[in-house]
Amino acid sequence: MSAKAYSVIGTRPIRHDGADKVTGRALYGADFTAAGLLHGAILRSPHAHARIKRIDISRALAYPGVKAVITSADFPEAAERTVDMGEGDTPLSYARGNVLAIDKALYRGHAVAAVAAASLHVAEEAAALIEVEYEPLGCVLTAPEAMLETAPQLHEGKSNLASQFQHVLGDAAKGFAEADVVVEREFNTATVHQGYIEPHNATALWNNDGRVHIWCSTQGSFVVRDCTAIILDIPVSQVKVTPMEIGGGFGGKIPVYLEPVAALLSKKTGRPVKIVMTRKDCFEATGPTPGSFMRVKIGAMKDGRITAAQAYLAFEAGAYPGAMVGPAGMTVFAAYDIPNAVIDGFDVVVNKPSTAAYRAPGAPNAAFATESVIDELAQKLGIDPLEFRLKNAAKEGTRRVDGPKFRRIGCVEVLEAMKNHPHYSAPLGGPNRGRGVAIGFWFNVGLQSSATLNVNADGTVNLVEGSTDIGGTRTSIAMQAAEVLGIPVADVNPSVVDTDTVGFTAVTGGSRTTFATGWAAYEAAQDVVRQMKERAAKLWEIDATAVSFDAGVFTSGERKLTFKELADRLPATGGPIVGRATVNPPGVGGSFAGNIVDVEVDPETGKTSILRFTAVQDVGKAIHPSYVEGQIQGGSVQGIGWALNEEYYMGADGTMMNSSFLDYRMPTALDLPMIDTCIVEVANPGHPFGVRGVGEANIVPPTPAIANAIQRATGVRMTRLPMSPPAIMEALWRESSSQRSSGN
Amino acid sequence: MPSQTHVTTTINGEPVQFLCEPRQSLLECLRDILGMTGTKEGCNDGNCGACTVVFDGRIVTSCLVLGVEAQGKEISTIEGIARGNRLHPLQQAFLENAALQCGICTPGFIVAAKALLDQEREPSEERIRFWLANNLCRCTGYDKIVRAVEQAAAVSKQEAAR
Ligand code: FES
Ligand code: FES
């Protein structure tokens, strides 16, 4: 545990952008406006799978107030090639095709054409006047069906099985032969959406000098810059992205959808064009997280040692390859030290929107399967579920099935914290109640970040960074600079700036922002200290190595200057000081999370109420504990929604039947108790303050923890998400009828 | 261009006039015509609460009210909550309790919670959760929001006692 005393790290200052955000002054993407602004609307496919035979835009173009109409034919000519959209190699036609359909519509809601007009209402009316002749094709909606020989093919000449992989460790057959007990089950999880409250938006101006300026809500302004440039076939230097405040992302605001379209409309009209998605568009046409079919088998000896494990993971990529099955394969057994294992993963295209990242993408699906089987094994062996996990927990040196060996991790510490938590031994107090536990892992990412620090004469500093702030990261990053400089965090003034103004910075995602951009701020602060030591040395006419710095004070023998005093003397000692740093840190520290959850299941309705929820997470070091708790609580509640209610309810023709917040039922304040958090700090040796990153691991354990609690409350093991009231009633009826028939 | 209607109303205590199309929602009028973008749009169909305003003393989702209905009414929005240079106790409590992450839901929550505290001194946790059930927040899991409202209630009570 990190015991070092800090003056700023670990405190709970009010965020720098706080006043703006509680007064309504903060400007989000949809709040942006500009002189001459036009509004865009998008025509979307009513078919889940159809050939586009003809598009006639003439009536729309003639509609009063309409300034331009575009289709994929308006993309500049470019030869097919593979491009890097941030997730490895993608054919250019896929990157473009998801923005405006080329030849075929691959999911209901697929963008087909776009209109720019003087008002949104006019643009929407004109979009409805675009005539599209479709040839509807059969659609396929699940991975197992899409893998059948007879399934309709989404991409001509290419199998729906876009890719597959296998990880092998030891000898699984031998391991299962050694096992005293083996449990194998099949699991299905529905497509779910990130559900950020702010819809996607983008405003673009293709200026007369040829430069494209984009204002939007995104998790990564440089991703928007680079992807827009690729799609429009222009150099990245021709695109400038100004990130506006962002109303949630959770992974879903990494891809570009609207930016290239708004840019093309602006090119045609010479005016700025703004497009904002409707909520229905967000559900039907942005990237949700994959639905999945999984089979997991685990064997253990009587003493509780796991001998072998096997996983079959088939994930729905949506319309284009790239289901998050890779990360699922990396995490499915990561919490355990298993000598023999096989993991097979399948990335399968189906006629649903192209999936995107959602908080620890792939890991919650996989954990639902693994942690349910682990729970059942513990029951069969008569071992306490936490003891069983502790017996097999991954530690430093444990080899993951997919290859890497763990560095210092906190899996055992999380399990111990759960075991020792008063919740675990509290009485349940009532019928139809059950307590479940589960754990989960996310590896977190590092990636590139940049930061600069400008020293002001009054001893404050301006921090310039490029990580869009979705949950208080301006402050968690500023705190790391303040800690180094020995100044109050209020004296660090952070700004998130556009892509012309700061060095490359990767997405706010992968739990990396406080870790990596925080590290950049730390290094930039070290750079400031180095330069200020030189100034002190100059004033004192000594060598810079003779100046020391501690807690905001430069000293050499008896001589002493505070940071503030010295800052005031910069003009006289050589001019301004700018500290700068870029990082691409290798020392990423994975995070484990665990839940203890008490539920009550109403036997009449099948409704599950969460009575008590405790979320434990190893965060390495909590820079701003309130925001760490907030991440844990938010991820937990998204997990609760995923477990109990959320799903894309699909008609057989590929129509999402519940594309509104009324019918896609996310948890409300009334559905929940307080979410108790327990922060575990096993310092990450790969970060100067021990940070691991906190954003994602917390969404991994809720679905299995709740499934395990429901099993204990009802005796029924749920193997399908969501565990909604009808699903639970069906399972209860099935159980009671099978008991009746076996009783006869 | 469709013909526009002249609307005279009161927003945050100030007289306001604007022209709008009859089909435009109050949310659109606030944001696009009056430039009051503090009120947010999350769904445009009454199911997220991001657009919550007070309309003649009742909280409404402004996406489901027509702009022309504002004629002669009193409307309060997030822009009218701070007391001059001082934040309202709810705003302060949201900051101190870290009750916002992305902040897109925050204006709606603060407007709705203020309406509750204006009529009830000491709402229970259950009451707060019930009152705020039409406001979706996807970031926080509501825990810190509920605590912030509880803290603001306590502060307001102290202020009133003084
Ligand atoms: S925007 Fe009005 S309720 Fe969602
Ligand atoms: S803080 Fe993001 S939706 Fe509430």
Side-chain angles (χ1 to χ4, degrees):
Chain A
M1 306 260 162
S2 43
K4 193 170 183 320
Y6 295 116
S7 57
V8 179
I9 304 294
T11 63
R12 300 171 186 248
I14 285 179
R15 60 197 284 171
H16 297 78
D17 54 346
D20 282 347
K21 285 184 173 160
V22 296
T23 54
R25 287 190 190 111
L27 292 175
Y28 293 72
D31 303 336
F32 180 80
T33 191
L37 186 73
L38 297 177
H39 296 267
I42 295 193
L43 177 71
R44 298 180 178 279
S45 170
H47 302 288
H49 194 191
R51 205 174 305 286
I52 299 169
K53 306 201 70 165
R54 188 180 60 88
I55 304 177
D56 182 352
I57 63 170
S58 54
R59 282 178 64 210
L61 212 45
Y63 195 68
V66 170
K67 305 291 180 196
V69 181
I70 58 165
T71 67
S72 63
D74 290 282
F75 284 127
E77 291 272 341
E80 178 70 317
R81 58 178 196 271
T82 56
V83 296
D84 182 7
M85 299 288 284
E87 280 157 17
D89 288 345
T90 308
L92 177 64
S93 60
Y94 288 7
R96 288 180 160 186
N98 198 36
V99 168
L100 282 172
I102 301 172
D103 302 331
K104 271 174 106 182
L106 296 170
Y107 50 94
R108 196 190 139 106
H110 200 156
V112 172
V115 180
S119 88
L120 178 59
H121 295 280
V122 171
E124 282 174 346
E125 285 164 354
L129 298 175
I130 299 171
E131 287 166 30
V132 186
E133 190 186 324
Y134 294 101
E135 177 194 334
L137 304 167
C139 71
V140 62
L141 301 174
T142 68
E145 285 165 356
M147 285 199 280
L148 298 174
E149 292 274 311
T150 49
Q153 219 174 46
L154 272 78
H155 300 283
E156 243 110 276
K158 292 190 182 134
S159 164
N160 290 340
L161 173 56
S163 67
Q164 68 187 82
F165 62 79
Q166 184 172 64
H167 301 305
V168 180
L169 183 68
D171 180 345
K174 180 174 140 274
F176 281 119
E178 285 165 11
D180 294 311
V181 186
V182 175
V183 172
E184 178 173 17
R185 285 213 181 244
E186 287 183 356
F187 299 87
N188 285 278
T189 72
T191 303
V192 298
H193 197 269
Q194 298 84 353
Y196 34 79
I197 304 301
E198 177 205 40
H200 290 254
N201 56 77
T203 305
L205 172 64
W206 200 305
N207 213 339
N208 303 66
D209 59 5
R211 278 204 104 200
V212 180
H213 193 167
I214 293 167
W215 298 262
C216 63
S217 302
T218 175
Q219 289 177 241
S221 46
F222 285 88
V223 175
V224 171
R225 182 193 71 171
D226 295 358
C227 292
T228 303
I230 288 169
I231 287 171
L232 299 178
D233 208 27
I234 55 178
V236 288
S237 58
Q238 293 298 92
V239 184
K240 169 179 175 176
V241 177
T242 298
M244 305 296 290
E245 296 303 328
I246 169 171
F250 314 109
K253 284 186 187 152
I254 297 174
V256 295
Y257 300 101
L258 301 174
E259 291 84 351
V261 178
L264 283 176
L265 286 169
S266 178
K267 189 180 187 187
K268 278 216 158 170
T269 58
R271 288 166 64 172
V273 178
K274 170 154 120 182
I275 312 178
V276 181
M277 284 196 191
T278 65
R279 179 53 50 185
K280 191 175 164 71
D281 293 347
C282 291
F283 279 118
E284 293 189 349
T286 69
T289 203
S292 52
F293 168 80
M294 300 171 289
R295 198 161 44 231
V296 164
K297 177 177 169 186
I298 304 177
M301 316 255 270
K302 281 206 190 76
D303 68 357
R305 270 300 299 168
I306 295 176
T307 56
Q310 186 167 5
Y312 174 100
L313 310 167
F315 278 42
E316 299 161 6
Y320 298 95
M324 294 292 177
V325 67
M330 293 159 73
T331 55
V332 61
F333 297 133
Y336 303 105
D337 184 359
I338 303 178
N340 307 293
V342 186
I343 301 168
D344 285 289
F346 304 87
D347 181 18
V348 187
V349 294
V350 298
N351 294 112
K352 288 184 183 174
S354 189
T355 54
Y358 177 21
R359 215 167 195 154
N365 309 45
F368 175 58
T370 300
E371 290 292 296
S372 295
V373 170
I374 289 279
D375 196 60
E376 195 170 343
L377 263 177
Q379 281 174 312
K380 289 223 159 107
L381 292 165
I383 305 177
D384 171 88
L386 289 180
E387 289 299 344
F388 181 53
R389 286 173 170 85
L390 270 167
K391 235 185 174 79
N392 296 285
K395 303 177 189 66
E396 184 169 359
T398 299
R399 181 170 291 288
R400 250 166 44 198
V401 183
D402 58 313
K405 255 191 190 172
F406 277 120
R407 299 163 24 125
R408 183 77 174 93
I409 48 169
C411 185
V412 169
E413 286 81 356
V414 164
L415 283 162
E416 293 285 356
M418 291 167 74
K419 208 173 79 177
N420 298 329
H421 197 284
H423 183 174
Y424 195 57
S425 46
L428 264 170
N432 305 313
R433 293 182 174 189
R435 174 169 299 150
V437 296
I439 57 172
F441 169 71
W442 182 249
F443 42 80
N444 296 334
V445 306
L447 305 178
Q448 304 166 75
S449 280
S450 311
T452 55
L453 283 169
N454 303 300
V455 181
N456 298 317
D458 63 359
T460 64
V461 296
N462 294 338
L463 164 65
V464 177
E465 44 118 347
S467 288
T468 51
D469 182 352
I470 319 184
T473 53
R474 281 180 178 89
T475 303
S476 67
I477 293 163
M479 288 171 78
Q480 298 179 58
E483 185 69 47
V484 173
L485 299 176
I487 59 177
V489 65
D491 287 353
V492 180
N493 173 35
S495 297
V496 178
V497 299
D498 64 72
T499 53
D500 280 4
T501 311
V502 65
F504 186 91
T505 297
V507 292
T508 295
S511 302
R512 65 173 292 279
T513 305
T514 299
F515 170 80
T517 308
W519 195 337
Y522 168 92
E523 293 293 345
Q526 299 285 2
D527 191 28
V528 167
V529 169
R530 227 170 359 248
Q531 295 180 55
M532 296 215 11
K533 277 183 177 173
E534 285 167 10
R535 302 303 177 87
K538 201 166 182 181
L539 283 171
W540 295 333
E541 296 175 340
I542 56 172
D543 195 84
T545 54
V547 180
S548 39
F549 178 72
D550 185 46
V553 185
F554 296 88
T555 51
S556 179
E558 292 294 289
R559 282 172 294 203
K560 199 164 105 172
L561 276 172
T562 64
F563 186 86
K564 197 173 171 152
E565 288 163 349
L566 187 52
D568 193 35
R569 304 184 63 174
L570 298 186
T573 55
I577 284 182
V578 178
R580 51 158 290 278
T582 65
V583 297
N584 191 4
V588 181
S591 176
F592 284 86
N595 294 157
I596 309 168
V597 54
D598 296 355
V599 302
E600 182 171 318
V601 182
D602 183 337
E604 303 294 320
T605 63
K607 181 175 188 293
T608 301
S609 302
I610 305 289
L611 303 176
R612 185 170 177 186
F613 195 103
T614 302
V616 181
Q617 189 173 339
D618 171 24
V619 306
K621 178 71 199 168
I623 299 292
H624 190 307
S626 296
Y627 286 111
V628 167
E629 292 159 6
Q631 287 295 318
I632 296 174
Q633 290 164 335
S636 296
V637 166
Q638 286 183 316
I640 291 171
W642 197 335
L644 295 179
N645 285 304
E646 294 178 33
E647 67 180 308
Y648 273 44
Y649 194 88
M650 304 300 290
D653 65 350
T655 304
M656 182 184 182
M657 313 293 274
N658 59 334
S659 54
S660 76
F661 277 148
L662 182 64
D663 297 320
Y664 183 93
R665 182 71 167 70
M666 306 199 308
T668 71
L670 195 56
D671 298 324
L672 297 163
M674 292 296 187
I675 306 294
D676 291 331
T677 57
C678 170
I679 295 175
V680 173
E681 293 183 317
V682 178
N684 170 17
H687 185 275
F689 294 121
V691 171
R692 285 183 187 273
V694 65
E696 292 168 291
N698 40 59
I699 201 175
V700 184
T703 59
I706 292 168
N708 296 340
I710 290 173
Q711 196 281 333
R712 279 155 211 268
T714 63
V716 174
R717 184 152 292 282
M718 302 297 293
T719 55
R720 207 169 254 284
L721 293 181
M723 300 175 283
S724 57
I728 288 185
M729 284 320 289
E730 258 175 50
L732 288 174
W733 287 326
R734 220 180 309 122
E735 179 83 357
S736 69
S737 69
S738 76
Q739 269 171 12
R740 257 202 314 280
S741 51
S742 62
N744 285 342
Chain B
M1 192 156 170
S3 74
Q4 298 199 320
T5 302
H6 180 251
V7 177
T8 304
T9 185
T10 305
I11 303 181
N12 299 327
E14 303 281 340
V16 172
Q17 301 179 41
F18 60 88
L19 289 174
C20 70
E21 294 176 32
R23 63 180 166 183
Q24 287 186 288
S25 69
L26 176 59
L27 177 61
E28 276 185 271
C29 295
L30 289 171
R31 290 177 53 81
D32 296 345
I33 298 174
L34 298 169
M36 299 178 71
T37 55
T39 305
K40 301 301 179 190
E41 175 181 326
C43 66
N44 209 25
D45 57 17
N47 288 305
C48 77
C51 64
T52 303
V53 301
V54 179
F55 189 85
D56 260 8
R58 286 196 315 150
I59 50 172
V60 297
T61 47
S62 61
C63 65
L64 294 188
V65 175
L66 290 172
V68 291
E69 292 181 85
Q71 175 67 39
K73 300 286 201 271
E74 300 239 358
I75 293 159
S76 0
T77 71
I78 184 67
E79 286 92 347
I81 300 240
R83 302 157 176 181
N85 252 339
R86 268 182 49 231
L87 293 177
H88 184 277
L90 264 168
Q91 293 170 313
Q92 190 62 32
F94 266 63
L95 293 181
E96 286 172 9
N97 288 273
L100 57 145
Q101 286 178 33
C102 78
I104 196 83
C105 68
T106 308
F109 270 99
I110 288 178
V111 169
K114 179 170 180 295
L116 172 64
L117 298 191
D118 283 348
Q119 66 185 66
E120 290 176 37
R121 275 277 149 81
E122 271 175 289
S124 64
E125 180 192 332
E126 182 74 6
R127 178 73 177 144
I128 294 169
R129 287 184 179 277
F130 179 78
W131 186 271
L132 297 177
N134 191 47
N135 290 76
L136 292 177
C137 173
R138 191 57 158 174
C139 297
T140 64
Y142 305 102
D143 182 302
K144 292 183 188 302
I145 293 177
V146 173
R147 290 178 202 277
V149 176
E150 287 174 337
Q151 181 189 311
V155 169
S156 302
K157 205 176 132 200
Q158 278 170 13
E159 281 184 3
R162 257 190 249 125

